Amino acid sequence: MIRFFLPVLVIVVSNVFYDISAKLFPSDLNAQFGLMVVYTVGVVTSAVMFFITTKGKVSLRAELRKGNWLFIAYALCSMGIDFGYILLFRADWNVSIGSLVCNILLAVSLLLIGVLFYKEKLGKTHFAGMFLCIAGLIGINCQNEFSFGYFLPVIIVVVANVLYDVVAKSVPEDINTFVGLMITHFTLIIINGAIYFAGHGFSDVANQFSMVNWAVIAFAITMVGLDAGYILLYRAGWNISLGTLVCNISLAIAMLIIGGTAFNELVTWLQIVSVVVCAVGLVLISYMEIRIKTGEEEKIPDQA
């Protein structure tokens, strides 16, 4: 059971620091150059984690040979998410509400994909929990007004995240997680480097490097934890719809609290009550998944 919920904890904790780092990403730093630095740190971090976790008992060369086209797709999706979040906070979204809106849309999208394409069956308890989660998330966000221009970063984040989760679920299980991330991030260094240098040349490199701060490094390290967490999530047997829903609701609650305390963002009583409603829904979903995984409930009734 610890193995089942550990990836959720890794994802939520990494995502909290990921969002905070994205919020504090230098506004004057070119996005592609910044991401090139991020993915370079990601390759180094992944390599260090590989050697720490395997203790020299696994051949890096043999693991690299297991890479396939999925990691290129995974890289592109990851870049879309990272780029989208940088744009999201540069468009002045609050750290709590921005993540919240993305997570609502992502949860609904993956629910539909899970049922339609992965034949995942949902019981009445699942639906009750998801209804409470979505109702709570709407309550948290209902007092905020947004212009149309705000939603472009949201669309980028959600579309990239949907594809990201689909690809993460399909990543080969026999390849070491951190070797897969090394391949992914190295691919992204090449892509972002090509985009940046094609448009800006080499004349402004020193100036761009001078704008790199601790938030860029933190963004990279938490990104490795986030990517690894999602791969481990699906290897632990989570459904594509419910796994991301539990992670996203947990993250939304955490970011609402952090936004109100660390960033002095306004938190109303309606939002607090809505958080409680989300928590109840999360408990229902998690309880149902625990029963299924422990064999107490063999299957979901077809009538649900």
Side-chain angles (χ1 to χ4, degrees):
M1 198 53 60
I2 294 177
R3 179 178 175 273
F4 189 60
F5 278 100
L6 181 60
V8 176
L9 179 62
V10 172
I11 289 171
V12 173
V13 173
S14 298
N15 226 325
V16 165
F17 289 102
Y18 175 93
D19 285 347
I20 293 173
S21 301
K23 177 76 172 176
L24 300 175
F25 208 87
S27 59
D28 294 331
L29 179 64
N30 179 275
Q32 264 69 50
F33 188 91
L35 288 177
M36 186 170 59
V37 174
V38 164
Y39 299 131
T40 301
V41 176
V43 169
V44 175
T45 303
S46 298
V48 170
M49 291 302 298
F50 168 75
F51 289 112
I52 290 176
T53 55
T54 61
K55 299 178 181 179
K57 297 179 181 179
V58 179
S59 169
L60 176 59
R61 180 178 296 180
E63 289 296 314
L64 287 172
R65 289 174 179 171
K66 297 177 184 178
N68 58 22
W69 67 270
L70 277 173
F71 289 99
I72 298 177
Y74 195 66
L76 294 173
C77 297
S78 181
M79 184 177 74
I81 296 171
D82 298 334
F83 184 64
Y85 267 109
I86 292 172
L87 293 181
L88 186 78
F89 295 121
R90 285 185 177 179
D92 292 329
W93 282 80
N94 286 344
V95 72
S96 54
I97 301 302
S99 298
L100 190 63
V101 173
C102 292
N103 290 335
I104 294 172
L105 297 175
L106 176 61
V108 173
S109 300
L110 286 173
L111 172 62
L112 295 174
I113 288 174
V115 173
L116 294 175
F117 296 102
Y118 289 88
K119 308 301 181 184
E120 297 175 357
K121 294 182 179 180
L122 304 178
K124 294 178 181 178
T125 305
H126 284 129
F127 280 111
M130 286 185 286
F131 175 79
L132 289 175
C133 288
I134 294 173
L137 289 174
I138 292 173
I140 292 171
N141 194 48
C142 69
Q143 293 180 327
N144 295 278
E145 296 182 1
F146 305 103
S147 67
F148 176 78
Y150 268 18
F151 276 92
L152 178 59
V154 173
I155 293 171
I156 293 174
V157 169
V158 172
V159 171
N161 230 322
V162 167
L163 297 174
Y164 172 95
D165 282 300
V166 170
V167 174
K169 191 171 178 64
S170 305
V171 167
E173 292 190 7
D174 61 338
I175 189 171
N176 181 276
T177 301
F178 294 108
V179 172
L181 294 180
M182 288 171 60
I183 297 172
T184 299
H185 295 154
F186 184 76
T187 301
L188 289 171
I189 292 172
I190 297 174
I191 294 173
N192 282 277
I195 294 173
Y196 174 77
F197 290 116
H200 300 83
F202 294 86
S203 60
D204 197 41
V205 171
N207 180 48
Q208 291 295 321
F209 264 120
S210 69
M211 289 186 278
V212 173
N213 64 5
W214 67 268
V216 176
I217 309 302
F219 188 79
I221 295 173
T222 55
M223 178 191 64
V224 172
L226 185 60
D227 291 340
Y230 270 109
I231 293 175
L232 294 175
L233 184 78
Y234 296 123
R235 288 182 178 178
W238 281 90
N239 288 343
I240 192 171
S241 54
L242 297 177
T244 50
L245 180 64
V246 170
C247 293
N248 290 335
I249 300 302
S250 302
L251 174 64
I253 294 172
M255 293 311 300
L256 182 67
I257 296 172
I258 291 172
T261 54
F263 290 90
N264 297 317
E265 296 173 358
L266 179 64
V267 178
T268 66
W269 278 107
L270 175 60
Q271 291 176 322
I272 294 174
V273 171
S274 298
V275 167
V276 174
V277 173
C278 285
V280 173
L282 183 60
V283 169
L284 287 176
I285 294 170
S286 300
Y287 172 70
M288 190 67 175
E289 285 299 290
I290 291 173
R291 291 189 63 188
I292 293 172
K293 293 302 175 183
T294 56
E296 293 181 25
E297 185 152 333
E298 295 296 330
K299 62 180 181 178
I300 302 297
D302 291 335
Q303 63 183 8

